[in-house]
Structures are given as structure tokens and as C-alpha cells.
Amino acid sequence: QVQLTESGGGSVQTGGSLRLSCAASNYVARRWCMGWFRQAPGKEREGVAAVDSEGRAKYADSVKGRFTISKDNGREMFLQMSSLTPDDTAMYYCALDDSRLLCVSDGPPAVTGTLGWYWGQGTQVTVSS
């Protein structure tokens, strides 16, 4: 069973920074694609950023220039968030897409299906004004 473990959420003031981490376990494919999604109360889930095992990244327009997604040499990815605003307040979820369509499809990060998708438990990010 693939497991995704997130860490790094918290509370900051506007303009602050946070770094999220997500580690995938029990996933053996050599090539992989992982991403971050967020959902605020009363809003739809939004794709934030995605990165694949080759290091190719994509971002939602709302976070370009402020967030940076990266990975290590294993199966762990990171989201460095800077210049945070209250609009960034949400539960952030790590996801792994076994098909890798999340990373190779055109456009911003988006859920492309249900089969082969794995999700973390979520980590809360709260930005106060």
C-alpha cells in the first residue's frame, strides 16, 4: 500500500514562508510524479504544483514566482512557499499519480482521474493578515 506522509504545515503571518514535505513509501516505480493540492473551506480543490522524477515542475498561476517545488534523489518532494497571503490558507494535500498524467499533461496541475492516485492525510497552512 502506497503511503504519503506530509509535514511542515503551520501558521504564519502575511509575507511569511513555510516548507512542506511529502515522503512516499512502498512505491517502487523508477519514474514517478507527485504534486500538491489544496482546499480551503467552501472552495474546490486546487492544484498547486507538481514535479516528476526527472525534476520537471509545473505550477498553478496563483503561486508562480512564490512557491517552488523540488525533490530529493528518493521519493520525497518539497514545497517552499514564500510571500504567503491569507488566500493561501488551506489544507494542503500531497498526491502521487501512478499514470504521471499530472506531470505530463498540458496546463496547470489537476487531478486526471481516480485510479492510481494516492493521497496524503493533509497538512494545514494558515496565513494571518
Side-chain angles (χ1 to χ4, degrees):
Q1 178 90 16
V2 175
Q3 289 187 325
L4 302 177
T5 304
E6 301 128 330
S7 61
S11 298
V12 295
Q13 293 187 325
T14 296
S17 299
L18 283 173
R19 186 175 189 246
L20 306 183
S21 301
C22 176
S25 57
N26 301 324
Y27 189 72
V28 298
R30 182 175 63 85
R31 301 174 69 184
W32 53 263
C33 167
M34 295 172 68
W36 290 98
F37 292 78
R38 66 186 181 185
Q39 188 165 23
K43 294 188 177 181
E44 293 187 353
R45 181 175 53 193
E46 174 189 21
V48 176
V51 65
D52 66 11
S53 48
E54 286 72 41
R56 292 170 295 206
K58 59 194 299 185
Y59 298 90
D61 288 343
S62 59
V63 305
K64 282 181 181 177
R66 301 188 299 122
F67 291 11
T68 302
I69 193 168
S70 61
K71 66 174 189 68
D72 67 1
N73 291 326
R75 287 170 179 77
E76 188 167 8
M77 71 167 178
F78 312 93
L79 186 67
Q80 178 67 45
M81 306 184 293
S82 302
S83 302
L84 287 162
T85 75
D87 287 342
D88 296 313
T89 295
M91 185 70 80
Y92 283 70
Y93 296 92
C94 168
L96 185 150
D97 174 18
D98 193 44
S99 76
R100 293 184 286 116
L101 283 175
L102 166 63
C103 293
V104 303
S105 59
D106 292 334
V111 177
T112 59
T114 56
L115 292 178
W117 279 76
Y118 304 92
W119 295 89
Q121 78 284 358
T123 185
Q124 179 67 38
V125 170
T126 302
V127 185
S128 58
S129 57

